[in-house]
Amino acid sequence: MNASNGVLRGLMTAGVLTTTLALAPAAAAGGPAAVGAGSGAAEAAVATTLVFDKNQGDPTKSKLSVYQGKKLIAAYRAGSGTGVKDDCTRFKGWMPNGDWKIRSKTRTYNGSVIKGYAVYLQDMRCSKKTATRTEMFIHSEMNSDGSQGRTEARRWDGAGDYKSNGCVKLNPTDIKKMFRLLDRIGWPTHLRVVS
């Protein structure tokens, strides 16, 4: 009887170790196996969050931050809009507050206005519910291959380039750093916009 209990305990221990080892790579990468694998505190410690904090004094000096759990990992200067704080004003107003679902991300976007590194966001109603903001991105100014172009729309010239049609806009160096960081620690599913 004791011998069979010892064998059973050994098999159970081996099963737990096998399961733990199988889940370890996914947990380290922040993959689906990590979700729900522990207590709420453990999950919050690995969750990656993007937060765009709008600067009331100057929308072109706002901040896009990357958090892992509650820990600030990186922060980048960012702009949204042309200085208009009405989030219902299309092509000029800054981005409405809320949780924006990330639809897709790419390093080679080739749209008519936005090119290169881009994070495509869901559509969202503005605060007054009078307009839906569409074609919203986190992006920069560059060619579709990520290089700097010769024309103003494709070349970053300085602080004035933080202005956008309402999207979150980073300088080219920062958006490339952000992509590398998020590829390493895990991409969030949403962008939280606050002011």
Side-chain angles (χ1 to χ4, degrees):
M1 203 74 158
N2 277 344
S4 63
N5 282 346
V7 170
L8 184 58
R9 271 195 299 260
L11 289 172
M12 289 176 61
T13 301
V16 168
L17 285 172
T18 302
T19 302
T20 301
L21 291 173
L23 292 177
V35 177
S39 68
E43 291 172 22
V46 297
T48 303
T49 309
L50 269 181
V51 179
F52 179 61
D53 190 358
K54 300 185 288 190
N55 181 334
Q56 294 289 333
D58 183 350
T60 67
K61 291 183 180 175
S62 297
K63 182 170 59 172
L64 181 64
S65 300
V66 178
Y67 290 89
Q68 195 165 36
K70 294 182 179 181
K71 182 179 178 185
L72 176 64
I73 302 296
Y76 310 101
R77 178 179 172 182
S80 179
T82 60
V84 175
K85 296 177 188 175
D86 180 356
D87 65 14
C88 293
T89 304
R90 292 183 187 171
F91 308 115
K92 293 182 181 180
W94 63 6
M95 184 173 270
N97 287 358
D99 287 329
W100 294 71
K101 183 178 178 185
I102 294 175
R103 289 180 168 175
S104 63
K105 61 190 180 331
T106 180
R107 288 172 165 82
T108 57
Y109 193 77
N110 196 19
S112 59
V113 176
I114 297 167
K115 296 188 183 288
Y117 285 64
V119 179
Y120 185 33
L121 305 169
Q122 74 179 57
D123 297 344
M124 186 180 284
R125 303 274 293 166
C126 68
S127 59
K128 299 174 198 164
K129 310 292 186 214
T130 58
T132 299
R133 300 298 297 273
T134 62
E135 300 298 316
M136 301 297 275
F137 292 83
I138 301 170
H139 68 93
S140 188
E141 285 187 3
M142 57 182 62
N143 292 319
S144 60
D145 66 358
S147 66
Q148 287 292 284
R150 295 186 176 153
T151 62
E152 205 302 305
R154 302 283 162 253
R155 181 187 67 238
W156 190 268
D157 294 317
D161 286 332
Y162 283 103
K163 291 183 178 179
S164 72
N165 289 345
C167 296
V168 174
K169 198 169 179 189
L170 300 170
N171 77 40
T173 301
D174 286 346
I175 199 167
K176 289 176 182 180
K177 284 180 186 176
M178 184 189 78
F179 265 69
R180 285 192 303 269
L181 173 63
L182 294 176
D183 283 346
R184 185 169 50 83
I185 68 172
W187 278 83
T189 58
H190 290 77
L191 165 70
R192 182 179 309 135
V193 178
V194 299
S195 57

